[in-house]
Amino acid sequence: MEKEDLKVLNKGEEEEMELQGYRLCRWRLALVGLGVLCTGGFLLLLLYWMPEWCVKSTCTRTTARDAKVVLLRSTDEFKRWFLARVRVMLAPGSNPFHSLDTQTTSPSSPSSPSHPFSSHASPPLANGHSPHHSDGSPAQELISRFGDYQPIQIRYFTFHSTKYYWNEEVQNFGVLNGLEDLQVSCSTLHSEHSAGLTRNQQEYRRLFFGVNEIAVKVPSVFKLLIKEVLNPFYIFQLFSVILWSADEYYYYAVAIVFMSVISIATSLYTIKKQYIMLHDMVATHSIVRVSVCRDNKDIEEIMSTDLVPGDVMIIPSNGTIMPCDAVLVSGTCIVNESMLTGESVPVTKTNLPNPTPGERGEEADSAYNTEEFKRHTLFCGTNVIQTRFYTGELVKAVVVRTGFSTAKGQLVRSILYPKPTDFKLYRDAYLFLLCLVAVAGIGFVYSIVLSVINKVPAKTIIIESLDIITITVPPALPAAMTAGIVYAQRRLKDIGIFCISPQRINICGQINLVCFDKTGTLTEDGLDLWGVQRVEKGSFHLSEENAYKENLVKSQFVACMATCHSLTKIDGQLSGDPLDLKMFEATGWLLEEATEEETALHNRIMPTVVRPPKQLLPPEPAASPDQDMELYELSSAYEIGIVRQFPFSSALQRMSVVARLLGEKRMDAYVKGAPEVVASLCRKETVPENFAEVLEGYTKQGFRVIALAHRRLESKLTWHKVQNVNRDHIETNMEFLGLIIMQNKLKAETPGVLQDLHQAHIRTVMVTGDNMLTAISVARDCGMIPPQDTVIIADAFPPHNGQAAKITWRYADKPSKTPRLEEVTISLEDNFHVDEQKPQELYHFAMNGKSFAVIEEHFPDMLQKLVLHGTVFARMAPDQKTQLIEALQGVDYFVGMCGDGANDCGALKRAHGGISLSELEASVASPFTSRTPNISCVPSLIREGRAALITSFCVFKFMALYSIIQYISVTLLYSILSNLGDFQFLFIDIAIILLIVFTMSLNPAWKELVARRPPSGLISGPLLFSVLTQILICLGFQTITFLWVRHQPWYTVWTPHTDVCNQSSHLNVSDHNDTELDDHNIQNFENTSLFYVSCFQYLIVAIVFSKGKPFRQPSYKNWPFVLSAICLYIFLLFIMFYPVRSIDEFLEIVCVPFEWRVKLFLIILVNAAASVLMETFVLDIILWKLVFSRDKQGSFVDTPAAQTPQRGINLGTYKCLSWLCCPRKMAPKARYMHLAQELSVDPDWPPKPTTTTEAKPRPENGSTYHIMVNS
């Protein structure tokens, strides 16, 4: 049925949503209005909290096309609901890329007839709506200017700062991103989009794309206040305050209002501050004056807010902060992209290639997109430091995206509208609160029944029954839970770890696998030149220490080292990639760049020039080897000009330059990059036969190897042709020149930190863009792969010539003595208590990015097995790093990621805990940023995370017990139609609970990482056992107290004249005031006895739950907590044994005989002993080791070198206790544990070195595989 259509927005993207169309229904609206009046506004609140209920109760379903309101639901695991109102705007056309100067239906670009929005325009009213000239549309002026056009209704809605327009062609709403929507080719960008727009075109496009501004509106305090106050928790507090006021509990009501006001004020201050910080970060230089080219060749200065996709802006020579995403069409820019990447190394951006008609093929002239052509794209928010340009031909860039569609806009949107943090603790917290509500429900019914039986007035029944609910759900819970995280954040800041996502601190306590980038993270950032190995006539020379020699100064090898880089001078200092810098400095050459004045004298861009120092040049002409004679002519000055750069691309793994020697007519091309890639671009006869062996020799020793190559270009390639040629035409048929060997030293802290992580059963994985063998070597050197372990390299190949995709397995050589490599089985003692498992094999998988991509596509079920023991992932592209994180999370690992921020942004954001080692706090990609530039921050973060997590558990358990203890007291007192007094509640809630809860969170983290991890949720065996046993103990002792006091020989129903103290007490407190009879029956012996016992119970459970080792420092080191507890103990003992009349009257407690106080003290002592015994001995010593040792059961997958569980435990006892206390623990919950158990009994795993695994397609989705043994 058409009305029930369900649309999907942003299909396949991170923000994928389902959309349903609705229109307002008047009779439903009237019914809801009536309901709101009847419920006193509560229904309105409910509809505010539940957008789907709001829409479904006030609207009827309709098609998305006719909808006035759309209901959106995210398709991720959170299934969140949103609503948006559909608006209508009038415009003279329906496609922003149509040209209004000619015809509405004629696209300005012939390459874009298939643009999704193009079908709107013909006919203008194809959607059947009659146009409404409504509310002074911003388009009115434009419409009147184009009077020939009939205005068209454009329907759209705004969601999360993005406009979604109705697309008639696909019958769905869609986003207008910018110029990329046209799918224009590079040549079309140059030919048809580089002239600029007319003013009319610009104004017309602005109707659709809006103002070019990333507007972070700072909400008013009033708006924030309303939003904060309407939180369900504060509404519950308001309900509680009204109830307490009705029951004349004014002091407690005032105290709660005071707490709430402080809480709301703090929250408002924090939120407002974050908004202001974000607004200031975005607003800095976001609105600037820019020069744009108009269609008539005029240059006009406008505000950057007026820019639209298709505008051609001129980049000023002195640099600027980019106000939009734009693609360079002429000139070169040097840009600092630290705002986006966290890496402050300047990046050279070159103009977009413009293939000539003869060169245009599918590959050469592909459609432009920002990701593929990012080396030619200037991103919003990045700082253009300087430009290089031609005279008369300014540095121009075509605006591609504006506003929130830009790279910076997307980043700001991800901060403004973050995904909720999905963590078991928070889900369990809601479950736990529901349990408390259920307990409150039982008390609610009990109090009503009891009151009805005792014929209590209706008003009292209602108040006291509702009061039970307010007692059971603690009002200070959110503030108490937040305290631990705030303290942890402060401690992290003290050790140099800056956090922008505090909720992630708790999640870091669960991390059991950490991925590390290699260069700059595990190893030193800079590379040192270890040596060079030149190639001549297809064979290697002996390795040389450096290239700083007179006899090499004019060789192509040194020329390549001196020219093939992206270095530039900024304020007279050489700047650029550290590797390029080391390589260039090793030559000893000088680099000179043309000044603006020099550039202006020439009719083309002045190239960067490099030349050797005079002392290296021979004093007179010297004979050169034969192959060099044709390449060099001796001249008075020996200089090489860099004519064109093709910047380094991580996808291509190489960079190249076109250079010309002074006085030469022909140009030279130089390439440097990954040895395997460069060798594949060279003529076979120039690559030495032993290339693979030599390369392997270096990489196994952990060296970073870079290959160089050269080609003499054809004389027909003129300077102008070179500026537009595609790099594929340059980087082919090269001559192999040799290898540069760079040494990448391990950071001093790396081995120690990795050893700490291994001892804590935390897996470590290396994910790097470097060579595979280099990565394996570094992994062995730093201890990530122990010397005795086997490394299995998985080489995957995509389907080729009708053959299925396959994986071949080979073993990397091991430096230590082991059995022959063909033998897979390594003889090890069976370490595990589960009988059916085979011996554990210590092996690690290694693979490169290409293999990872093939395995992910063709062997999805194999990928999960590989990531279980995958330790080295080399040559990984930035997006593959993110995919690896997702694959590890897919098997239930809690993944940490540590990188230097350059190409790890996606992975740092996706991981549960991403730590950037970049010192720039401007990098907002990572939840954590360490100012210490080494990996020692990782254990510190995990330790603090564990401490914060345990603190959260302690606080939650304590708050739950506080509620239940108070609930037990009140329920027992209700049975005699009594209650706790107003000031008793006040003393308990303020003096005991708040003081204790805010100081018990102050325990710092334990000084070292232990092998055990804290539980991930509240609904877990140990925590439930702990809470339930303490509840039973408290219930038991309160019940004993309540019943025992009534059986005392002196017991009588208390009245103001009752005096039992003088019968057995040496204290003379016989002077009593004749007070009025107590309406609430607060003052009685049961109340006083229960008040004393319950007060001590709060303190007992606080001490019992406030655990130290192994995750936090012992409580006795937390002096504010110890001091608070001691002061409260002294005060309570004092008022119990030495009653002070004024205190007794204030707390509404009565005098009881001294012998009963001694008995109460004995009850308290026995209660304390029972609580401590149950928590420390039974739970921590017996049950943790026997039943709840989750990590020990699964330790064989946490790390290959994991320690074994303790032996000597009777298996029958173990299974029996497991079944009784925690039956679900028998089967591990985490998927990686399931997989490890399956693989431990699989005879074909790990694959043997003589096997190939082939993909076999099957009818259903997915694939399977079978293993073949090579003959």
Side-chain angles (χ1 to χ4, degrees):
M1 186 178 167
E2 195 192 4
K3 280 200 173 186
E4 296 301 314
D5 65 335
L6 187 75
K7 304 292 184 186
V8 178
L9 298 181
N10 310 322
K11 193 157 187 152
E13 294 176 30
E14 199 175 349
E15 281 195 354
E16 186 179 275
M17 291 177 293
E18 291 171 351
L19 177 145
Q20 299 167 23
Y22 286 85
R23 59 170 59 206
L24 280 170
C25 174
R26 287 180 182 174
W27 66 266
R28 288 190 180 197
L29 210 56
L31 273 178
V32 168
L34 192 66
V36 169
L37 286 172
C38 294
T39 57
F42 182 70
L43 180 61
L44 196 63
L45 271 174
L46 207 59
L47 297 181
Y48 170 77
W49 294 330
M50 304 283 198
E52 74 275 26
W53 291 9
C54 179
V55 173
K56 287 174 181 177
S57 61
T58 57
C59 304
T60 52
R61 276 296 293 269
T62 183
T63 57
R65 178 185 175 183
D66 300 321
K68 300 289 183 193
V69 175
V70 289
L71 185 60
L72 306 164
R73 187 173 81 150
S74 63
T75 56
D76 56 19
E77 66 271 28
F78 303 107
K79 305 283 185 236
R80 291 170 297 159
W81 293 90
F82 306 95
L83 65 91
R85 191 177 294 280
V86 177
R87 302 183 184 278
V88 176
M89 78 170 183
L90 291 176
S94 60
N95 186 336
F97 298 110
H98 285 169
S99 170
L100 289 176
D101 294 334
T102 52
Q103 289 181 349
T104 319
T105 52
S106 159
S108 60
S109 164
S111 68
S112 62
S114 62
H115 186 268
F117 292 85
S118 59
S119 63
H120 285 208
S122 177
L125 296 178
N127 57 11
H129 287 293
S130 57
H132 300 290
H133 295 271
S134 61
D135 58 358
S137 162
Q140 289 298 329
E141 189 188 333
L142 204 59
I143 290 166
S144 62
R145 201 178 301 167
F146 291 91
D148 302 338
Y149 303 107
Q150 189 173 9
I152 296 169
Q153 276 194 333
I154 311 287
R155 306 179 72 252
Y156 71 96
F157 68 87
T158 306
F159 174 70
H160 282 182
S161 303
T162 304
K163 280 186 180 177
Y164 291 82
Y165 290 93
W166 177 252
N167 183 334
E168 197 67 42
E169 189 178 283
V170 298
Q171 290 289 301
N172 198 357
F173 285 94
V175 182
L176 285 171
N177 287 312
L179 214 57
E180 286 171 285
D181 294 338
L182 284 172
Q183 296 187 329
V184 284
S185 61
C186 298
S187 56
T188 310
L189 251 171
H190 276 281
S191 61
E192 297 178 20
H193 294 274
S194 59
L197 303 174
T198 63
R199 202 169 296 170
N200 287 342
Q201 282 176 320
Q202 189 194 45
E203 287 179 24
Y204 171 55
R205 286 190 186 182
R206 207 182 311 133
L207 290 177
F208 293 89
F209 292 104
V211 175
N212 173 35
E213 188 182 10
I214 302 166
V216 178
K217 290 176 184 169
V218 180
S220 66
V221 174
F222 180 72
K223 266 189 183 176
L224 286 173
L225 179 67
I226 295 297
K227 197 174 178 183
E228 191 70 17
V229 166
L230 292 181
N231 181 308
F233 177 73
Y234 288 120
I235 297 298
F236 176 72
Q237 282 198 336
L238 181 67
F239 161 74
S240 304
V241 166
I242 293 167
L243 183 70
W244 293 325
S245 301
D247 200 18
E248 297 172 7
Y249 286 178
Y250 297 121
Y251 295 106
Y252 191 42
V254 168
I256 287 296
V257 168
F258 179 70
M259 269 174 54
S260 299
V261 166
I262 290 175
S263 175
I264 290 169
T266 310
S267 183
L268 286 185
Y269 173 75
T270 310
I271 294 168
K272 182 93 173 171
K273 189 179 171 187
Q274 284 175 346
Y275 268 111
I276 290 168
M277 277 174 65
L278 187 60
H279 176 269
D280 292 348
M281 184 192 91
V282 172
T284 313
H285 310 297
S286 65
I287 300 173
V288 291
R289 294 195 73 81
V290 291
S291 298
V292 294
C293 297
R294 288 281 171 241
D295 209 14
N296 56 3
K297 303 274 172 58
D298 284 352
I299 292 174
E300 186 183 330
E301 199 172 84
I302 61 169
M303 295 304 292
S304 60
T305 47
D306 294 335
L307 288 171
V308 295
D311 266 326
V312 176
M313 68 178 285
I314 293 161
I315 313 295
S317 57
N318 59 345
T320 183
I321 303 280
M322 286 301 293
C324 58
D325 287 356
V327 57
L328 269 177
V329 287
S330 67
T332 307
C333 290
I334 291 147
V335 187
N336 183 337
E337 293 189 326
S338 62
M339 202 291 298
L340 290 178
T341 63
E343 191 71 12
S344 58
V345 173
V347 181
T348 303
K349 301 278 185 174
T350 56
N351 58 318
L352 189 73
N354 184 14
T356 57
E359 295 173 326
R360 287 178 196 170
E362 279 185 27
E363 288 180 20
D365 198 18
S366 56
Y368 169 82
N369 69 69
T370 49
E371 187 54 41
E372 196 178 331
F373 293 91
K374 64 182 175 186
R375 285 293 181 176
H376 313 290
T377 306
L378 303 170
F379 292 104
C380 179
T382 58
N383 185 5
V384 179
I385 302 166
Q386 64 184 43
T387 62
R388 312 275 306 288
F389 54 91
Y390 321 99
T391 310
E393 213 176 313
L394 299 162
V395 179
K396 294 179 188 173
V398 178
V399 176
V400 181
R401 293 180 172 196
T402 57
F404 276 101
S405 297
T406 61
K408 184 179 178 181
Q410 298 287 8
L411 201 59
V412 173
R413 279 182 72 236
S414 69
I415 298 168
L416 277 175
Y417 313 106
K419 270 192 172 183
T421 310
D422 180 38
F423 188 39
K424 203 165 180 288
L425 171 69
Y426 305 122
R427 280 178 283 148
D428 287 356
Y430 289 118
L431 258 171
F432 217 89
L433 280 175
L434 281 174
C435 293
L436 289 178
V437 169
V439 170
I442 296 165
F444 179 76
V445 174
Y446 163 79
S447 65
I448 289 176
V449 172
L450 206 66
S451 300
V452 169
I453 291 168
N454 289 294
K455 297 178 181 174
V456 175
K459 183 193 171 188
T460 313
I461 293 177
I462 293 166
I463 290 172
E464 292 197 341
S465 305
L466 291 173
D467 202 24
I468 278 277
I469 297 170
T470 65
I471 286 166
T472 319
V473 182
L477 181 63
M481 292 286 281
T482 308
I485 295 171
V486 170
Y487 297 148
Q489 191 177 3
R490 195 191 301 161
R491 287 195 298 268
L492 283 172
K493 200 172 180 182
D494 291 342
I495 56 172
I497 299 173
F498 179 75
C499 170
I500 60 166
S501 180
Q503 294 300 328
R504 297 248 188 157
I505 297 174
N506 270 345
I507 302 174
C508 288
Q510 278 296 303
I511 286 174
N512 55 358
L513 183 147
V514 186
C515 294
F516 292 98
D517 180 39
K518 184 178 78 71
T519 312
T521 303
L522 296 172
T523 58
E524 295 288 354
D525 207 4
L527 290 160
D528 298 315
L529 185 77
W530 181 85
V532 297
Q533 192 151 10
R534 295 182 299 119
V535 168
E536 280 185 13
K537 296 179 181 174
S539 61
F540 280 113
H541 280 238
L542 292 172
S543 60
E544 299 159 273
E545 209 170 299
N546 60 49
Y548 190 79
K549 295 176 183 174
E550 282 187 24
N551 63 329
L552 293 180
V553 72
K554 292 190 177 183
S555 67
Q556 293 290 13
F557 189 90
V558 171
C560 186
M561 286 177 72
T563 56
C564 199
H565 52 71
S566 56
L567 300 176
T568 185
K569 277 194 171 175
I570 297 172
D571 298 330
Q573 288 289 317
L574 265 183
S575 181
D577 185 272
L579 186 146
D580 286 352
L581 212 52
K582 284 279 183 197
M583 187 181 76
F584 183 75
E585 285 170 355
T587 63
W589 285 38
L590 309 172
L591 181 140
E592 291 175 0
E593 285 183 328
T595 60
E596 287 180 38
E597 294 77 24
E598 288 173 318
T599 307
L601 298 172
H602 297 78
N603 64 349
R604 63 188 187 205
I605 191 168
M606 279 290 285
T608 298
V609 172
V610 292
R611 57 183 176 80
K614 285 179 182 173
Q615 63 267 30
L616 275 184
L617 286 169
E620 55 186 15
S624 296
D626 294 341
Q627 74 269 26
D628 284 344
M629 286 302 290
E630 59 172 302
L631 303 178
Y632 288 98
E633 287 177 17
L634 292 167
S635 58
S636 56
Y638 186 83
E639 290 182 354
I640 301 175
I642 301 167
V643 178
R644 175 134 192 234
Q645 275 184 9
F646 296 100
F648 176 79
S649 159
S650 52
L652 299 173
Q653 296 178 2
R654 62 180 184 270
M655 80 162 285
S656 56
V657 292
V658 176
R660 176 188 275 168
L661 179 66
L662 188 69
E664 279 282 328
K665 289 182 180 175
R666 287 167 72 178
M667 299 190 196
D668 296 277
Y670 296 102
V671 175
K672 81 157 196 273
E676 309 94 327
V677 175
V678 172
S680 70
L681 301 172
C682 294
R683 300 194 304 277
K684 277 192 179 175
E685 67 271 15
T686 66
V687 181
E689 287 179 8
N690 62 337
F691 165 76
E693 291 82 18
V694 171
L695 176 63
E696 196 171 327
Y698 285 124
T699 53
K700 277 183 181 171
Q701 293 173 63
F703 290 117
R704 172 97 179 259
V705 183
I706 294 153
L708 307 182
H710 159 263
R711 175 162 81 94
R712 198 86 196 272
L713 297 178
E714 304 81 9
S715 54
K716 66 176 182 180
L717 268 176
T718 61
W719 187 93
H720 275 291
K721 281 183 180 174
V722 163
Q723 296 309 314
N724 295 316
V725 75
N726 192 294
R727 73 188 290 170
D728 294 341
H729 292 272
I730 300 290
E731 298 167 346
T732 181
N733 215 20
M734 310 288 288
E735 176 196 350
F736 193 76
L737 293 178
L739 304 172
I740 297 176
I741 299 103
M742 312 288 277
Q743 194 172 20
N744 195 196
K745 293 174 186 169
L746 279 178
K747 287 184 177 176
E749 301 82 5
T750 298
V753 170
L754 292 179
Q755 189 180 356
D756 290 347
L757 292 173
H758 283 186
Q759 285 173 351
H761 293 185
I762 294 170
R763 253 188 78 188
T764 52
V765 170
M766 185 191 295
V767 49
T768 176
D770 206 345
N771 174 285
M772 165 94 74
L773 293 171
T774 304
I776 292 172
S777 169
V778 171
R780 285 201 187 277
D781 290 346
C782 67
M784 199 176 274
I785 300 175
Q788 71 278 8
D789 290 6
T790 309
V791 177
I792 306 170
I793 297 173
D795 291 317
F797 303 96
H800 183 63
N801 294 338
Q803 292 183 335
K806 62 179 182 179
I807 307 171
T808 57
W809 309 93
R810 59 192 171 95
Y811 282 23
D813 289 337
K814 294 196 292 182
S816 63
K817 53 183 181 179
T818 55
R820 292 198 343 259
L821 289 180
E822 289 77 21
E823 296 174 16
V824 181
T825 310
I826 299 165
S827 60
L828 283 173
E829 189 183 350
D830 186 354
N831 286 333
F832 301 101
H833 54 252
V834 184
D835 302 331
E836 60 271 20
Q837 286 179 338
K838 63 176 182 178
Q840 183 187 3
E841 291 159 357
L842 303 179
Y843 58 89
H844 304 256
F845 288 111
M847 68 189 80
N848 60 26
K850 285 179 183 174
S851 297
F852 180 81
V854 172
I855 292 167
E856 190 179 41
E857 184 179 350
H858 299 283
F859 301 87
D861 38 1
M862 171 75 81
L863 184 64
Q864 292 196 340
K865 296 180 181 180
L866 288 175
V867 296
L868 203 65
H869 282 278
T871 303
V872 174
F873 296 86
R875 295 281 186 235
M876 296 286 274
D879 59 326
Q880 288 180 323
K881 292 185 178 185
T882 311
Q883 288 160 9
L884 173 65
I885 300 284
E886 287 171 347
L888 290 163
Q889 288 172 336
V891 290
D892 295 343
Y893 275 112
F894 281 88
V895 185
M897 170 75 198
C898 183
D900 56 2
N903 54 354
D904 307 313
C905 291
L908 288 167
K909 280 178 80 173
R910 187 54 54 96
H912 290 109
I915 318 160
S916 168
L917 299 187
S918 162
E919 289 180 18
L920 295 157
E921 282 182 17
S923 172
V924 285
S926 174
F928 300 95
T929 305
S930 170
R931 295 196 188 99
T932 313
N934 60 60
I935 64 168
S936 60
C937 59
V938 176
S940 302
L941 178 65
I942 296 173
R943 283 190 298 107
E944 287 297 347
R946 287 180 173 186
L949 188 57
I950 287 297
T951 298
S952 294
F953 289 143
C954 291
V955 167
F956 207 98
K957 284 160 65 178
F958 175 66
M959 294 303 282
L961 257 293
Y962 144 61
S963 299
I964 297 295
I965 291 168
Q966 201 167 74
Y967 171 79
I968 293 166
S969 303
V970 170
T971 310
L972 288 170
L973 290 172
Y974 272 13
S975 67
I976 57 163
L977 303 181
S978 179
N979 199 350
L980 287 173
D982 197 356
F983 288 102
Q984 288 175 339
F985 275 124
L986 199 66
F987 175 75
I988 291 167
D989 290 322
I990 306 295
I992 300 181
I993 303 305
L994 285 187
L995 194 61
I996 290 295
V997 90
F998 287 121
T999 55
M1000 79 187 296
S1001 305
L1002 286 167
N1003 286 36
W1006 184 245
K1007 52 187 178 287
E1008 59 190 41
L1009 275 176
V1010 294
R1012 199 169 91 193
R1013 275 192 302 140
S1016 59
L1018 287 161
I1019 314 297
S1020 63
L1023 288 168
L1024 285 179
F1025 180 86
S1026 170
V1027 170
L1028 291 172
T1029 50
Q1030 294 301 330
I1031 287 173
L1032 290 173
I1033 289 167
C1034 292
L1035 173 66
F1037 283 98
Q1038 279 204 47
T1039 310
I1040 289 166
T1041 306
F1042 181 75
L1043 296 174
W1044 200 8
V1045 71
R1046 305 187 76 174
H1047 287 87
Q1048 293 304 306
W1050 48 262
Y1051 176 81
T1052 179
V1053 176
W1054 189 89
T1055 66
H1057 301 284
T1058 306
D1059 181 15
V1060 294
C1061 290
N1062 283 344
Q1063 293 172 14
S1064 59
S1065 175
H1066 60 277
L1067 292 172
N1068 183 12
V1069 285
S1070 57
D1071 298 330
H1072 291 288
N1073 274 342
D1074 288 347
T1075 55
E1076 291 178 24
L1077 279 171
D1078 184 8
D1079 290 343
H1080 294 285
N1081 187 23
I1082 303 298
Q1083 289 178 301
N1084 52 59
F1085 297 121
E1086 291 90 343
N1087 170 291
T1088 301
S1089 303
L1090 285 179
F1091 175 73
Y1092 283 137
V1093 170
S1094 65
C1095 282
F1096 278 103
Q1097 282 182 339
Y1098 298 126
L1099 293 173
I1100 291 163
V1101 293
I1103 289 164
V1104 162
F1105 285 160
S1106 188
K1107 291 181 182 175
K1109 194 176 173 181
F1111 303 118
R1112 305 195 306 166
Q1113 295 278 5
S1115 291
Y1116 61 78
K1117 289 192 177 180
N1118 178 359
W1119 64 264
F1121 173 70
V1122 172
L1123 196 66
S1124 304
I1126 289 171
C1127 288
L1128 284 166
Y1129 270 123
I1130 291 169
F1131 177 76
L1132 287 170
L1133 288 169
F1134 175 74
I1135 63 168
M1136 195 167 102
F1137 286 106
Y1138 297 95
V1140 177
R1141 188 171 170 184
S1142 57
I1143 294 174
D1144 284 2
E1145 285 176 4
F1146 178 76
L1147 291 174
E1148 296 180 89
I1149 51 181
V1150 297
C1151 189
V1152 292
F1154 186 78
E1155 63 186 39
W1156 177 241
R1157 290 181 218 144
V1158 173
K1159 287 175 184 174
L1160 284 178
F1161 185 61
L1162 288 172
I1163 289 171
I1164 290 158
L1165 285 178
V1166 176
N1167 185 342
S1171 290
V1172 171
L1173 188 75
M1174 188 57 72
E1175 189 73 15
T1176 55
F1177 182 74
V1178 177
L1179 180 72
D1180 287 0
I1181 296 172
I1182 299 175
L1183 290 179
W1184 257 114
K1185 288 191 176 177
L1186 291 179
V1187 184
F1188 304 131
S1189 54
R1190 176 196 55 185
D1191 285 296
K1192 289 190 175 179
Q1193 287 183 55
S1195 63
F1196 61 93
V1197 290
D1198 278 354
T1199 171
Q1203 293 174 9
T1204 58
Q1206 290 181 359
R1207 294 182 170 222
I1209 296 169
N1210 182 279
L1211 197 61
T1213 312
Y1214 166 80
K1215 286 182 176 175
C1216 178
L1217 273 168
S1218 294
W1219 182 80
L1220 281 171
C1221 302
C1222 199
R1224 288 182 300 166
K1225 289 282 178 187
M1226 287 300 289
K1229 288 180 182 177
R1231 289 184 67 191
Y1232 68 85
M1233 291 187 186
H1234 278 296
L1235 277 167
Q1237 284 190 351
E1238 287 172 20
L1239 294 178
S1240 66
V1241 293
D1242 185 347
D1244 294 326
W1245 197 264
K1248 295 175 175 54
T1250 53
T1251 57
T1252 299
T1253 307
E1254 268 197 11
K1256 284 288 173 190
R1258 58 185 184 203
E1260 318 92 68
N1261 290 336
S1263 70
T1264 185
Y1265 53 84
H1266 77 275
I1267 294 172
M1268 306 182 306
V1269 178
N1270 295 341
S1271 53

